[in-house]
Amino acid sequence: MSYNQKNKSITADLKTELFLTPMKIRIPESADPRVVIIGGGFGGLNLAKKLRHKPIQVVLIDKHNYHTFQPLLYQVATGGLEPDSIGTAYRNIFEKSSNIFFRMAETREIDPEHKKVYTSIGTIHYDFLVIATGAKTNFFGMEEVEQNAMAMKSLPQALDLRSLFVQNLEKAVNLEYGDEQESLMDIVVVGGGPTGVETAGALAELKRHVFPDEFGELDFKIMDIHLVEAGPRLLGTMSEKASEKTKKYLEELGVRVSVNTGLISYDGKVALFNNGLQIPTESLIWTAGVKGNPVYGIPPELMVKGNRIKVDEFLRVPGLDDVFAIGDVAAMHRMGQWEAQPMVAPAAIQHGQYLAETLLRIRKNKPIGMFRYVDKGSMATIGRNKAVVDLGRLRFQGVFAWFVWMFVHLMYLVGFRNRLVVFVNWAWNYFSYDKGLQLIIHPFMKTPKNKAPLAKESLA
Amino acid sequence: MSYNQKNKSITADLKTELFLTPMKIRIPESADPRVVIIGGGFGGLNLAKKLRHKPIQVVLIDKHNYHTFQPLLYQVATGGLEPDSIGTAYRNIFEKSSNIFFRMAETREIDPEHKKVYTSIGTIHYDFLVIATGAKTNFFGMEEVEQNAMAMKSLPQALDLRSLFVQNLEKAVNLEYGDEQESLMDIVVVGGGPTGVETAGALAELKRHVFPDEFGELDFKIMDIHLVEAGPRLLGTMSEKASEKTKKYLEELGVRVSVNTGLISYDGKVALFNNGLQIPTESLIWTAGVKGNPVYGIPPELMVKGNRIKVDEFLRVPGLDDVFAIGDVAAMHRMGQWEAQPMVAPAAIQHGQYLAETLLRIRKNKPIGMFRYVDKGSMATIGRNKAVVDLGRLRFQGVFAWFVWMFVHLMYLVGFRNRLVVFVNWAWNYFSYDKGLQLIIHPFMKTPKNKAPLAKESLA
């Protein structure tokens, strides 16, 4: 089903629903213009933060009541951090900010003509609208893979992964040595970007330092962690040097790295690749693609490939009055084609901060400047004392890079409490070699029902 | 349905199931006798810990893969601690203990005649069996209350409560001032034991220090926290002085305390009490009773009131060979009647430690002594700087009691990591007045389905 077909069917259902609950979202009237922000990821959150205590009324809408620090989701999945340490409740961030109004709601559709947003808790009028709905996992139409692979874009998904890893080992412990046991222990990570690299590295460390002590009855020599990348090298957006070192570090940790190897199918039992490689496994983590996660109600001619929304140099959606798009969901025209900004936190943060400045200038009838992206470099961690950093022409790897990686992530984390708790956990993990967060609080159950939340996520 | 009727019907179903999966739990054969422990609460866990590296093969069976530190569940429900800080994976506790085997499984039934236990992952033979399945919430047959009230005996239940509190406030924020809004904000805690007192106190502190900053649009003067006790005083098992002080502390915090007031009905909207009191509320927490949570397969004549299993002075189940029961599920004969030990952690811990010693003595053909309970005193915390402690004739309340309470709980917590993280969180909460863990990671949904896990819990 294409984006437009989906769009139409939802719209029809929606009319009925809204007729039944024609409620308004209850926000105090204000003399200040109202900015409605859909989505509180890095872009939306930083926009709202910059508008605190300013003469603009901000309404932030998100389907979760917390901001997720996505770069560390893999540490939740692999038992290094508690989920609460990388999530921050919006109301906690904006306490005492009297011009910021948070509403937990799913956005159904926008109506740019009447300047309205329809949500699960009612409709709301805006003066300015900012679409900051981010990206979601892209399975490129491979439905079987989507049904059977695990994704890692949200806290519930990361917790599902954490449960799955341990559930599979608990099953393996009760089996004789053999293929079935091995396929419960083997893990395949598809996608050699930062998330894939970091996940594979963390799993390799669990296999080396944690699991053998806890599952003494299992022989972890038979457990394989695979990292499979369709392109010619890992971390394709970083320097060649970073790619090389990353591959070397991962192989030192025992990860089996394959490049130029694309996934063709995965039925929940066997992963099949385009070079003939076959890996029987009960756990396949898909980190090999994302696409924009737009809202319904945007005219099709404003959408470009990868489900993204066209924006101009001011992050405005061309042709729609007072509508902006920022972060992973936006695509800018550059060198003859529409392309997303680098899909990293600093780009979204810069979007948010730029747009706050711009809205304040519009409010004061001042001229506005174009958005300029400043490359803050990129980095990835592979394991303890092992990371790679590219900062412009400065490129370094190893222990120092690892400390830089940790420092930068601590600084970007939202909220002092989270920084404190993450720091304590990292120190503990480092000195004890123990990542003990393996509680199966909500067991993962592989049923079609379990996939329902994924579908819902298309509505930010 | 009585215990026996249930027992029979389960047994019939079971025969079919076991015929289809006649699997054995795979545990290495050993020359040492095998002790199977069902349940890893305070009793089962401490028994297993004392048997580490001893000439006995221990198989610990639990439906969760982690031990729950129940005394602090209320802090998870009220956003003071992460769930992972009060749970510890059994495999983490027993890493490198080569004579301890953990299996995550639900126990279906025991067969004392053939010395077998039937579980969800297969059957297992024992030389000694220890039933340590603890207690579960007792609604005393009030099915409507059971359907609509929240309980707090497990981590998933505590997280459901945490979600519910915030979900209700998120709903209230979008309503006009009125009855519906008030009933979303008001919370009723039923049961004036330690759990009820501690929960009501923690909620009162949230209402005072946290919620008003985060939900600036709501008027928290209309929010009432009720604590309702059927008996004549709070903390009925502690001293009169402790009860008085507790009531005073709670009232200082703004809690509305009612004694001699028993719940008659709760339909999810209005709580009705036996003295005519009616409270409209969307959140009712039931902490007013527990009953034993025995396994199936115990002859009915060995069960006593409150669903408990008879034990003699050696914690043996009379008439069954080599079967013991410890902790909240056991009832001893004292002063002419069968009664449970005080339902507190120290009693279960003493049971576990005593039984470890006893089993080792049996192993060495040495004479065994009777179990003697040592009263370690009792305590409860109401809020910051407010706690009550009874230690024999020594009774004190206030700041010092509060520090004693914290120190004792930190010491009893399982695992150094958890102690460290809880300590950091408490220090942070104390100095910042901020209990920010209000993420709705898994939204609570009030459906009959949601109650299913409760039913399943009768199988340890």
Side-chain angles (χ1 to χ4, degrees):
Chain A
M1 196 154 69
S2 78
Y3 170 78
N4 289 326
Q5 282 173 301
K6 258 195 198 155
N7 200 353
K8 269 177 209 154
S9 63
I10 288 274
T11 310
D13 288 356
L14 190 72
K15 293 278 139 71
T16 331
E17 186 184 334
L18 292 175
F19 182 74
L20 293 170
T21 56
M23 220 166 46
K24 256 196 182 176
I25 297 187
R26 220 181 117 255
I27 305 279
E29 292 299 322
S30 161
D32 296 325
R34 175 185 291 168
V35 178
V36 172
I37 305 170
I38 308 177
F42 285 109
L45 178 67
N46 282 280
L47 167 57
K49 278 168 96 171
K50 283 272 169 191
L51 292 176
R52 268 193 286 212
H53 312 304
K54 294 288 191 298
I56 288 183
Q57 188 187 58
V58 176
V59 179
L60 175 63
I61 297 175
D62 197 299
K63 66 174 182 293
H64 292 127
N65 76 328
Y66 56 88
H67 168 78
T68 305
F69 191 78
Q70 291 193 349
L72 292 178
L73 278 175
Y74 83 95
Q75 294 212 2
V76 172
T78 53
L81 291 175
E82 292 103 335
D84 299 273
S85 306
I86 67 160
T88 319
Y90 293 116
R91 293 190 179 277
N92 201 286
I93 300 170
F94 294 112
E95 59 181 30
K96 297 177 191 164
S97 307
S98 58
N99 68 320
I100 315 270
F101 296 85
F102 170 71
R103 287 297 181 273
M104 188 171 76
E106 294 194 12
T107 300
R108 304 290 195 214
E109 184 169 1
I110 64 168
D111 177 355
E113 201 183 325
H114 302 96
K115 291 197 155 189
K116 274 186 181 169
V117 177
Y118 297 96
T119 81
S120 54
I121 62 165
T123 64
I124 186 165
H125 179 269
Y126 62 79
D127 296 303
F128 299 96
L129 176 66
V130 182
I131 304 168
T133 43
K136 60 181 173 180
T137 306
N138 191 353
F139 292 94
F140 303 103
M142 297 188 287
E143 279 181 28
E144 194 197 42
V145 176
E146 184 167 355
Q147 274 298 314
N148 295 297
M150 306 291 288
M152 193 169 48
K153 291 286 290 177
S154 68
L155 275 180
Q157 287 177 337
L159 287 169
D160 276 347
L161 267 174
R162 177 174 106 168
S163 291
L164 179 69
F165 295 144
V166 183
Q167 284 169 232
N168 282 348
L169 292 179
E170 290 290 350
K171 279 186 201 161
V173 114
N174 213 33
L175 294 176
E176 304 277 333
Y177 171 81
D179 291 348
E180 197 183 342
Q181 193 190 49
E182 209 170 327
S183 114
L184 281 164
M185 294 172 73
D186 289 350
I187 300 174
V188 176
V189 181
V190 180
T195 304
V197 163
E198 290 174 340
T199 306
L203 287 170
E205 291 197 328
L206 284 177
K207 176 193 159 182
R208 178 175 290 198
H209 300 301
V210 180
F211 289 154
D213 287 344
E214 299 191 341
F215 292 84
E217 299 165 69
L218 292 175
D219 175 7
F220 283 91
K221 284 200 286 293
I222 69 165
M223 180 185 198
D224 288 317
I225 313 290
H226 296 267
L227 177 63
V228 187
E229 162 62 35
R233 60 187 179 99
L234 301 178
L235 300 179
T237 60
M238 290 184 69
S239 62
E240 298 259 359
K241 180 76 184 161
S243 299
E244 270 167 46
K245 271 282 189 178
T246 297
K247 187 155 181 284
K248 186 171 154 284
Y249 286 149
L250 284 169
E251 284 170 348
E252 279 169 16
L253 285 170
V255 175
R256 298 174 71 152
V257 179
S258 312
V259 291
N260 294 315
T261 307
L263 184 69
I264 294 176
S265 74
Y266 177 58
D267 60 2
K269 293 287 172 194
V270 179
L272 182 65
F273 297 88
N274 59 4
N275 58 357
L277 180 67
Q278 288 194 21
I279 309 174
T281 180
E282 297 275 331
S283 330
L284 186 141
I285 305 153
W286 176 263
T287 71
V290 291
K291 58 184 173 185
N293 181 28
V295 291
Y296 293 108
I298 296 169
E301 65 274 16
L302 295 177
M303 301 296 301
V304 296
K305 76 164 168 34
N307 246 10
R308 293 199 170 75
I309 304 169
K310 290 181 186 175
V311 294
D312 64 16
E313 303 80 355
F314 305 94
L315 302 179
R316 295 178 302 204
V317 182
L320 302 186
D321 286 345
D322 304 320
V323 178
F324 301 81
I326 62 176
D328 287 356
V329 79
M332 236 181 235
H333 203 254
R334 269 189 314 203
M335 291 179 273
Q337 58 182 343
W338 293 95
E339 58 180 40
Q341 299 283 348
M343 315 267 293
V344 292
I349 293 171
Q350 289 175 37
H351 280 178
Q353 291 174 340
Y354 160 85
L355 190 54
E357 176 67 24
T358 298
L359 289 170
L360 288 168
R361 290 185 150 268
I362 291 173
R363 172 100 175 87
K364 293 175 193 157
N365 290 314
K366 287 188 187 168
I368 58 173
M370 289 194 293
F371 173 75
R372 292 265 175 262
Y373 173 61
V374 181
D375 186 353
K376 293 282 181 86
S378 42
M379 51 183 73
T381 194
I382 293 92
R384 55 193 296 130
N385 301 329
K386 291 184 175 72
V388 294
V389 174
D390 286 0
L391 286 177
R393 288 193 192 163
L394 193 62
R395 282 150 196 191
F396 50 100
Q397 301 88 27
V399 180
F400 181 65
W402 189 65
F403 277 100
V404 169
W405 181 93
M406 285 198 294
F407 178 77
V408 168
H409 281 75
L410 277 178
M411 289 304 99
Y412 272 98
L413 260 175
V414 179
F416 184 76
R417 184 202 161 276
N418 284 3
R419 279 182 209 148
L420 177 69
V421 175
V422 168
F423 177 76
V424 169
N425 270 290
W426 282 352
W428 169 257
N429 295 346
Y430 187 74
F431 291 111
S432 72
Y433 281 81
D434 188 14
K435 296 178 185 172
L437 303 171
Q438 269 125 23
L439 317 191
I440 304 173
I441 295 180
H442 292 94
F444 172 69
M445 284 177 242
K446 207 170 181 175
T447 61
K449 242 194 312 179
N450 230 302
K451 295 289 171 182
L454 273 179
K456 258 203 288 182
E457 272 176 28
S458 60
L459 306 162
Chain B
M1 196 155 68
S2 78
Y3 170 78
N4 289 326
Q5 282 173 302
K6 257 194 198 155
N7 200 353
K8 270 176 209 153
S9 64
I10 289 273
T11 310
D13 287 357
L14 191 72
K15 294 278 140 70
T16 330
E17 187 183 334
L18 292 176
F19 182 74
L20 292 170
T21 57
M23 220 165 47
K24 258 196 183 177
I25 297 188
R26 220 181 117 256
I27 305 279
E29 291 300 321
S30 161
D32 296 324
R34 176 185 290 168
V35 178
V36 172
I37 305 170
I38 308 177
F42 286 110
L45 178 66
N46 282 280
L47 167 57
K49 279 167 96 170
K50 283 272 169 191
L51 293 176
R52 268 192 287 213
H53 312 304
K54 294 288 191 298
I56 287 183
Q57 188 187 57
V58 176
V59 179
L60 175 63
I61 297 175
D62 197 299
K63 65 175 183 294
H64 293 127
N65 76 328
Y66 56 88
H67 168 78
T68 305
F69 192 77
Q70 291 193 350
L72 292 178
L73 278 174
Y74 83 95
Q75 294 211 1
V76 172
T78 53
L81 291 175
E82 293 102 335
D84 299 274
S85 306
I86 67 159
T88 319
Y90 293 116
R91 293 190 179 277
N92 202 287
I93 300 170
F94 294 112
E95 59 181 29
K96 298 177 191 164
S97 308
S98 58
N99 68 319
I100 315 269
F101 296 85
F102 171 71
R103 286 297 180 274
M104 188 170 76
E106 294 193 11
T107 300
R108 304 289 194 214
E109 185 169 0
I110 64 168
D111 177 354
E113 201 182 325
H114 302 97
K115 292 197 155 191
K116 274 187 181 169
V117 176
Y118 297 96
T119 80
S120 55
I121 61 165
T123 63
I124 186 165
H125 178 270
Y126 62 79
D127 296 304
F128 299 96
L129 176 66
V130 182
I131 304 168
T133 43
K136 60 181 174 180
T137 306
N138 191 353
F139 292 94
F140 302 102
M142 297 188 288
E143 279 182 28
E144 194 197 42
V145 175
E146 184 167 355
Q147 274 298 314
N148 295 297
M150 306 291 287
M152 192 169 48
K153 290 286 290 176
S154 68
L155 275 180
Q157 287 177 337
L159 287 169
D160 276 348
L161 267 173
R162 177 174 107 169
S163 291
L164 179 69
F165 295 143
V166 183
Q167 283 169 233
N168 281 348
L169 291 179
E170 290 291 349
K171 278 185 201 162
V173 113
N174 213 34
L175 294 176
E176 304 278 332
Y177 171 82
D179 291 347
E180 198 184 341
Q181 194 190 48
E182 210 170 326
S183 113
L184 281 164
M185 294 172 73
D186 289 351
I187 300 174
V188 176
V189 181
V190 180
T195 304
V197 162
E198 291 175 340
T199 306
L203 287 169
E205 291 197 328
L206 284 177
K207 176 194 159 183
R208 178 175 289 197
H209 300 301
V210 180
F211 289 153
D213 287 344
E214 298 191 342
F215 293 84
E217 299 166 69
L218 292 175
D219 176 7
F220 283 91
K221 283 200 287 293
I222 68 165
M223 180 185 198
D224 289 316
I225 313 290
H226 296 267
L227 177 63
V228 187
E229 162 61 35
R233 60 185 179 100
L234 301 177
L235 301 179
T237 60
M238 290 183 69
S239 62
E240 298 259 359
K241 180 77 184 161
S243 298
E244 270 167 45
K245 271 282 189 177
T246 297
K247 188 155 180 284
K248 186 171 153 281
Y249 287 149
L250 283 169
E251 284 170 348
E252 279 169 16
L253 285 170
V255 175
R256 299 174 71 152
V257 179
S258 312
V259 292
N260 294 315
T261 307
L263 184 69
I264 294 176
S265 73
Y266 177 58
D267 60 1
K269 294 287 172 194
V270 178
L272 182 66
F273 296 89
N274 60 4
N275 58 357
L277 180 67
Q278 288 194 20
I279 309 173
T281 180
E282 298 274 331
S283 330
L284 186 141
I285 305 153
W286 176 263
T287 71
V290 291
K291 58 184 173 185
N293 181 28
V295 291
Y296 293 108
I298 295 169
E301 65 274 15
L302 295 178
M303 302 296 301
V304 296
K305 76 166 167 36
N307 245 9
R308 292 199 172 76
I309 303 169
K310 290 182 187 174
V311 294
D312 64 16
E313 303 80 356
F314 305 95
L315 302 179
R316 294 178 302 203
V317 182
L320 302 185
D321 286 346
D322 304 320
V323 178
F324 301 80
I326 62 176
D328 288 356
V329 79
M332 235 181 235
H333 203 255
R334 268 189 315 201
M335 291 179 273
Q337 58 182 342
W338 293 95
E339 58 180 38
Q341 299 284 348
M343 315 267 293
V344 292
I349 293 171
Q350 289 175 37
H351 280 178
Q353 292 174 339
Y354 160 84
L355 190 54
E357 176 67 23
T358 297
L359 289 170
L360 289 169
R361 289 184 150 268
I362 291 173
R363 172 101 174 87
K364 292 175 194 155
N365 290 315
K366 287 187 186 170
I368 58 173
M370 289 194 293
F371 174 74
R372 291 267 175 259
Y373 174 61
V374 181
D375 186 353
K376 293 281 181 87
S378 42
M379 51 183 72
T381 194
I382 294 93
R384 55 192 296 129
N385 301 330
K386 291 183 176 72
V388 294
V389 174
D390 286 0
L391 286 177
R393 288 193 191 162
L394 192 62
R395 282 149 196 191
F396 50 100
Q397 301 89 27
V399 180
F400 180 65
W402 189 65
F403 277 101
V404 169
W405 182 93
M406 285 198 295
F407 177 77
V408 168
H409 281 75
L410 278 178
M411 288 305 99
Y412 272 97
L413 261 175
V414 179
F416 184 76
R417 185 203 160 275
N418 284 4
R419 280 181 208 148
L420 177 70
V421 175
V422 168
F423 177 76
V424 169
N425 270 290
W426 281 352
W428 169 257
N429 295 346
Y430 188 74
F431 292 111
S432 72
Y433 282 81
D434 187 14
K435 296 178 185 173
L437 302 171
Q438 269 125 23
L439 316 191
I440 304 172
I441 295 180
H442 291 94
F444 172 69
M445 284 176 240
K446 207 170 181 174
T447 61
K449 242 195 311 181
N450 230 302
K451 295 289 170 180
L454 272 180
K456 257 203 290 181
E457 272 177 27
S458 60
L459 306 163

